[in-house]
Amino acid sequence: RPLTATCIGKMAFLLAMSEAQSLGVLFGGSTAVLGWLAATKGEPDTIPQYKGFRELYSSGYCTAFCGTMLMNWTDVCKVRMQAESLKVPDPSLRQYTTFTRSLTTIARKEGLWVLWGSGIVSACYRDLFYSSIRYGAYPIVKSALFPADAHNTDIGVTRKWLCGVLTGGFGAALANPSDVVMVRMKAESGLTSDGRFTTGLYKGERPRYTNGFEGLFRLLRDEGVRASYAGTSATAIRAALGTGAQVAAYDHTKHLCKKHQLGILGKEGVPLHVFSAFIAGIAFTTCAAPADVVKSRYMAEPTRFKSVLDCGVQLVRQDGFRALFRGWTPGAARICPLFMIMTPLLEQCRKAIGLGWFAA
């Protein structure tokens, strides 16, 4: 009973923290785990203990804190652009019509914290879990389904894409509740006064959540598991298409550059990793864009639509086919730099905790 009371007290404290305080707790705890993995990696050229966990955790950590945390502001702009049509049906009255306009409007009217920090905790813990599976499980699934032989170490881009589709779709489906919280907090982001928003799309309304942890807790408690998985099909499709394109593009670009010995790109190292990550970013953004737009709209206000398909159909009828690629520019502006920062750091992180190069 005393232990239970202590746990409840600590949970209540965690749920009452600000978004900035919650980010500090999440980052500090996650970094401590990474430090332990580096300290226990063992001798060189040996298989480290808990190799599978190291594969998964390094991918989740680097994506969350070396990529998502730095580039969160671009996702805030993207979600604001995608969700505005829900609140402002008349296109002539919308103010978040382009990435540049969204960026300058939010920064000028609401400040840098709203631009960068909105939904940042849920975005980071989402990627700790989601990317550990979609990215970290890729080498595991690849070697299990298509083991390379001594005569041909490359399995081909189609099989690589299939492995990425499997890990991306599965990881996104499991992590969907955190995605719901993230989209909601970014869609309704803004300055507050006396407990109500004074700026943004939800001006005059009360914030749903205090921080990302409280958001996830209240989503599961108040709306149930079923509601927390609203929009799972759109999320899983987006992740499957995007991850399949991303890991196949990254893995195969590395393979081709090394195979043809393209100068500094012909061997493992930062130049090859940065270039391959850029190609992967373009592939991910383009393939995931339609499902991403539908996902953001559906998760922001799920009761407005009969289903994910209905959400997509209404969007195309209202704004045309091009609306499915709304937010492509901020998406690419976020994804490409994110991959170009995160992926080389992930490669180095893997070596630091006793793993080899990614998908080598």
Side-chain angles (χ1 to χ4, degrees):
R1 186 172 297 176
L3 179 61
T4 302
T6 301
C7 292
I8 292 175
K10 290 183 176 179
M11 178 175 288
F13 175 75
L14 184 66
L15 299 182
M17 290 192 301
S18 67
E19 186 81 344
Q21 292 170 328
S22 301
L23 179 63
V25 170
L26 181 64
F27 177 70
S30 302
T31 303
V33 174
L34 186 70
W36 172 74
L37 291 175
T40 59
K41 66 178 182 179
E43 297 297 323
D45 300 322
T46 61
I47 298 177
Q49 193 176 23
Y50 311 120
K51 183 176 182 294
F53 176 72
R54 291 171 188 269
E55 292 268 14
L56 299 176
Y57 190 81
S58 60
S59 297
Y61 180 91
C62 287
T63 304
F65 300 115
C66 300
T68 296
M69 190 169 73
L70 296 178
M71 302 302 296
N72 190 62
W73 55 277
T74 60
D75 211 31
V76 173
C77 292
K78 182 194 73 173
V79 173
R80 186 76 69 94
M81 289 174 64
Q82 294 173 343
E84 186 178 25
S85 60
L86 295 172
K87 290 291 186 179
V88 188
D90 187 351
S92 65
L93 299 178
R94 297 172 190 168
Q95 57 179 326
Y96 306 105
T97 53
T98 67
F99 175 61
T100 303
R101 188 175 180 183
S102 301
L103 175 64
T104 55
T105 300
I106 297 172
R108 184 179 69 254
K109 293 184 177 180
E110 303 173 47
L112 295 181
W113 172 250
V114 172
L115 178 64
W116 177 72
S118 298
I120 195 168
V121 171
S122 51
C124 286
Y125 68 60
R126 165 188 176 269
D127 266 322
L128 269 174
F129 184 71
Y130 161 56
S131 290
S132 68
I133 297 175
R134 78 175 186 93
Y135 215 58
Y138 171 75
I140 301 172
V141 172
K142 177 184 170 183
S143 61
L145 294 182
F146 308 108
D149 55 51
H151 302 289
N152 184 18
T153 58
D154 183 65
I155 64 172
V157 68
T158 303
R159 291 181 175 183
K160 294 172 184 176
W161 175 81
L162 177 60
C163 293
V165 166
L166 293 175
T167 59
F170 183 66
L174 290 180
N176 196 75
S178 61
D179 219 8
V180 173
V181 176
M182 180 191 71
V183 170
R184 287 180 178 180
M185 293 191 72
K186 288 180 178 178
E188 70 174 26
S189 60
L191 295 175
T192 58
S193 179
D194 297 326
R196 293 184 182 274
F197 286 113
T198 57
T199 62
L201 300 178
Y202 289 73
K203 183 177 179 180
E205 300 182 27
R206 293 186 179 277
R208 298 191 205 193
Y209 312 124
T210 303
N211 62 59
F213 294 126
E214 191 225 10
L216 185 61
F217 174 78
R218 286 187 53 194
L219 173 67
L220 294 172
R221 185 196 66 183
D222 299 343
E223 301 180 47
V225 174
R226 183 175 181 178
S228 70
Y229 281 90
T232 300
S233 57
T235 303
I237 291 171
R238 171 191 179 271
L241 295 176
T243 302
Q246 175 197 353
V247 295
Y250 183 76
D251 189 352
H252 209 62
T253 300
K254 284 178 59 176
H255 166 71
L256 292 176
C257 288
K258 290 187 292 184
K259 178 181 178 180
H260 297 288
Q261 299 182 342
L262 300 181
I264 60 173
L265 301 179
K267 60 181 180 180
E268 293 283 359
V270 174
L272 175 61
H273 300 156
V274 171
F275 176 72
S276 301
F278 173 75
I279 300 299
I282 295 297
F284 182 99
T285 305
T286 303
C287 291
D292 190 41
V293 173
V294 174
K295 181 202 76 170
S296 294
R297 286 169 57 86
Y298 187 81
M299 286 185 171
E301 295 194 21
T303 57
R304 184 167 179 165
F305 308 104
K306 297 177 181 178
S307 64
V308 171
L309 179 61
D310 177 57
C311 178
V313 170
Q314 286 194 34
L315 174 63
V316 173
R317 284 178 178 173
Q318 178 179 324
D319 294 341
F321 180 79
R322 291 182 62 183
L324 292 174
F325 289 88
R326 181 180 292 148
W328 187 95
T329 300
R334 170 181 176 267
I335 291 295
C336 289
L338 187 153
F339 286 178
M340 294 168 72
I341 294 170
M342 179 274 293
T343 311
L345 289 175
L346 170 61
E347 296 275 18
Q348 298 302 318
C349 178
R350 287 174 59 88
K351 297 204 72 176
I353 63 174
L355 301 172
W357 299 118
F358 180 81

